[in-house]
Amino acid sequence: MIMMEFRKESGRIFAMDETGKLLAEVTFPEREGVAVINHTFVDDSLRGQGIAGQLLRAVADNLRQDGRKAKAICSYAIHWFETHPEERDLLG
């Protein structure tokens, strides 16, 4: 499994290559005080290497650190929370 270094912006965690090409991203804009996880993307060249899981782990850690709740509407995020019951307390 490749470990990626992610960058964080408000409502977004992502990674780019040295040319600026987007390699991986999860977006979670805040709506009514809840982070809505609405999009997960991993470049085809990195699929199957655990990158999407790393993204969701980064979001969960970020939310927990900030004391925030989330709503998962992206299909991958829904699946991730189903397979990580220890993180379901973040859903609100």
Side-chain angles (χ1 to χ4, degrees):
M1 176 170 67
I2 293 175
M3 291 300 293
M4 296 202 72
E5 187 173 325
F6 298 117
R7 299 187 336 202
K8 184 178 124 182
E9 294 178 348
S10 178
R12 179 181 185 222
I13 295 175
F14 64 102
M16 300 174 113
D17 71 10
E18 61 280 349
T19 69
K21 178 184 176 187
L22 183 65
L23 297 176
E25 170 184 60
V26 61
T27 57
F28 50 103
E30 189 164 315
R31 293 194 193 128
E32 299 176 9
V34 175
V36 180
I37 306 169
N38 62 3
H39 172 72
T40 304
F41 163 78
V42 176
D43 187 77
D44 288 342
S45 66
L46 296 171
R47 294 225 173 140
Q49 298 182 50
I51 304 300
Q54 291 176 45
L55 284 168
L56 266 290
R57 168 59 51 211
V59 170
D61 292 347
N62 182 271
L63 293 171
R64 195 169 298 288
Q65 179 181 5
D66 294 345
R68 297 169 57 206
K69 295 288 187 178
K71 178 178 181 178
I73 61 173
C74 160
S75 61
Y76 183 81
I78 292 167
H79 170 76
W80 190 86
F81 279 102
E82 287 173 351
T83 59
H84 292 83
E86 70 280 8
E87 301 296 349
R88 288 189 198 148
D89 65 305
L90 293 170
L91 297 175

